[in-house]
Amino acid sequence: MKKKVFLLLLKNVGISLLVLALIIGTGVAAFFISHKYYSKKAEVEADVEVLTEYTDILSQVKTDVITKNMIYAVDENNNIKAIMLEICNTETYNMDYITIPVKTSYTIPATMYQKLMSISEELPQVVMLSKLRKYMPEDQEDEKAFGYITVILEKMLGIEASYFTVYDSETFAERYYKQRAIIKYRNAKDAKVAEKEAEEDSSESDTTPAPGTTETTESADRPKVRSVSMAIFVINDDHKEELKEVMDDKEEIMKYIQEEYKQEGFASNLTVANKIGYAEAYVNMNPDYYHFWGMPAKRRAGVFTIKPVTSQKLIQKLMKNTVAYSEPQFDDSIDTSKKITISEKFLTGGIYTEDKELAESIKADREEDDDSTSTSASTSATPKPTKAASSVADKVSIDKKIVILNATGVSGVAAETKSVMTDDGYLVGEIGDYTGNEAVENTRIIVREEGIGEDLLVYFSDAKIEVGTPEGDYDIEIVIGTNDA
């Protein structure tokens, strides 16, 4: 009896195991069949026309009307060699690039610094932008490292970047060249005054001053135009032609973007699909009309300090510009092998405008005012030339002997100025400290003979020329004032 019960139990266990084996076998078979089916399907779908694939991608992505792309170039030693803010407007099809000097010093706010210390203990509170990647953990992926770096730059500039892009320095150098430039800008605190003066300049009112009052000349009260010498990055001809070859065809642009994302050293927090989403705008852009700027900054002994409020004003002006660029920023007459002057396209009281007639009218009014208020006295300061005059002025002082004296109280300013001017071909001899008793606010350019020195005005924010007796046997004596420290 017990034997029969045991055999029956064994039989039931065997049946259960067989059923379980069948279930497992069916599951495994189903898995391999499904895997083979979907793999084959994926291969077939991969062979579908590229255009269909891109169309599917475009239907899924979302794009902003205006984007701010922080671009970095990094060498093999993790030194940041270039930083640019790219502003892309998909409505006007304008493309603007603002160079941020890598030799910029920035003090990270205390609260942010404490948080960043948990990311990198090597990070100092006072940072040099060129070293930011080296401060991050070496084994940290670029997507993360430059995410933190971009947060620091956002804080410095007071903006929010849409995304960032990282190139190796060699690829970047193949696309952009370094252009020496004088960057002109108005302090943000002067903005309201500048707008008011622009309105007054452009009006056709012929009212005369009331009895007992005097008419103020433009040069006396107009907000100061600051200037700083820096190198900016500009697209080179080869890359411009490369873009032109693909920009007529949306499909070619999409392929170009995909290949870019595969390049070694490339990194971005924007997906390739979202980048492709801008192909519709890129096809309408003309690389010849790209514009290039320098971020407003103060420079001392070769180290820059960004002016955040003024920088925000520049960024906002470019973003709010509703007029499409219709001509190159630099014409063929400009010698880009020399230092060029970069300012708002038409300087009309600090207001960005593409209205050439308005700009020319204001420029003519200013020149007329200058002519009517200038004197022939040898000790009087000559009126500061307009942007148009200073940008095309002949280098009448190129063969004159120049001495530079530092009245700023800041060490290294005279040496830095000598370096810049010598690079441009000027004959700068001695440099030294100014020993006069009076404080010098605006830089003085003292010339031995009338008619020289005007080509030197672009190096300073609000310099004045006066005919006098320069030191020693020099033809020109430059006394750098505190406004140019």
Side-chain angles (χ1 to χ4, degrees), residues 341-411:
T341 299
I342 306 289
S343 64
E344 294 164 352
K345 183 132 183 161
F346 298 109
L347 194 60
T348 57
I351 307 303
Y352 184 90
T353 177
E354 285 279 354
D355 189 338
K356 290 186 178 182
E357 292 184 2
L358 172 61
E360 290 299 323
S361 173
I362 292 173
K363 185 181 75 173
D365 289 343
R366 292 180 180 179
E367 290 173 346
E368 184 177 344
D369 288 342
D370 287 342
D371 289 341
S372 65
T373 57
S374 62
T375 66
S376 58
S378 62
T379 58
S380 65
T382 61
K384 186 174 181 179
T386 63
K387 169 186 175 294
S390 62
S391 63
V392 298
D394 293 331
K395 290 190 173 182
V396 293
S397 311
I398 199 70
D399 59 346
K400 305 299 181 182
K401 292 189 293 183
I402 303 172
V403 59
I404 300 177
L405 302 178
N406 184 2
T408 68
V410 179
S411 176

Side-chain angles (χ1 to χ4, degrees), residues 54-284:
Y54 291 143
T55 304
D56 290 341
I57 292 174
L58 286 173
S59 67
Q60 298 172 26
V61 300
K62 293 181 179 179
T63 58
D64 296 327
V65 174
I66 300 175
T67 62
K68 298 184 289 295
N69 173 22
M70 200 71 75
I71 300 175
Y72 305 92
V74 187
D75 68 13
E76 65 277 6
N77 296 318
N78 278 339
N79 293 304
I80 298 178
K81 308 300 287 185
I83 305 175
M84 291 196 302
L85 178 63
E86 174 195 81
I87 300 176
C88 173
N89 190 321
T90 61
E91 288 187 337
T92 62
Y93 305 123
N94 288 344
M95 189 75 89
D96 293 282
Y97 293 89
I98 310 175
T99 294
I100 302 170
V102 294
K103 290 185 178 180
T104 293
S105 177
Y106 176 61
T107 302
I108 302 173
T111 303
M112 172 180 278
Y113 180 65
Q114 290 175 0
K115 294 178 180 179
L116 289 171
M117 279 294 289
S118 64
I119 308 299
S120 173
E121 295 181 355
E122 301 296 323
L123 182 69
Q125 188 169 5
V126 180
V127 296
M128 185 69 71
L129 299 191
S130 62
K131 303 296 183 183
L132 277 173
R133 182 60 182 94
K134 296 176 80 73
Y135 297 145
M136 297 296 165
E138 189 174 351
D139 59 351
Q140 191 174 59
E141 294 181 354
D142 280 344
E143 285 82 354
K144 286 187 177 181
F146 281 96
Y148 295 124
I149 292 170
T150 301
V151 168
I152 294 173
L153 265 66
E154 286 177 330
K155 190 70 174 178
M156 182 183 75
L157 297 171
I159 64 168
E160 285 189 17
S162 306
Y163 61 99
F164 65 81
T165 305
V166 182
Y167 297 98
D168 68 79
S169 56
E170 291 183 2
T171 300
F172 185 88
E174 290 171 358
R175 299 182 176 190
Y176 303 95
Y177 70 91
K178 190 178 289 187
Q179 172 66 56
R180 292 180 302 156
I182 299 292
I183 308 301
K184 290 194 171 186
Y185 61 90
R186 290 187 186 277
N187 276 343
K189 64 183 180 182
D190 297 331
K192 290 184 178 180
V193 179
E195 289 181 17
K196 182 179 179 181
E197 289 185 340
E199 292 175 1
E200 292 173 354
D201 283 347
S202 60
S203 67
E204 297 181 359
S205 173
D206 59 354
T207 56
T208 56
T213 64
T214 57
E215 189 169 11
T216 304
T217 62
E218 177 220 52
S219 59
D221 291 337
R222 182 168 295 279
K224 295 174 181 176
V225 175
R226 304 290 183 179
S227 63
V228 61
S229 174
M230 71 169 67
I232 66 170
F233 292 97
V234 179
I235 188 171
N236 63 36
D237 291 337
D238 289 341
H239 185 46
K240 194 184 296 184
E241 293 304 316
E242 181 184 23
L243 292 178
K244 286 180 181 179
E245 290 178 3
V246 301
M247 279 190 151
D248 288 337
D249 189 326
K250 186 164 62 178
E251 182 180 340
E252 290 299 318
I253 294 176
M254 295 172 177
K255 290 179 180 178
Y256 180 87
I257 292 172
Q258 282 196 326
E259 289 302 316
E260 183 174 71
Y261 269 66
K262 296 176 184 177
Q263 290 179 357
E264 186 176 353
F266 179 92
S268 179
N269 63 336
L270 184 72
T271 65
V272 64
N274 277 301
K275 184 72 171 181
I276 286 174
Y278 291 100
E280 192 75 42
Y282 294 153
V283 78
N284 291 293

Side-chain angles (χ1 to χ4, degrees), residues 28-39:
V28 171
F31 170 77
F32 282 109
I33 293 171
S34 299
H35 178 71
K36 185 174 182 180
Y37 169 77
Y38 285 110
S39 296

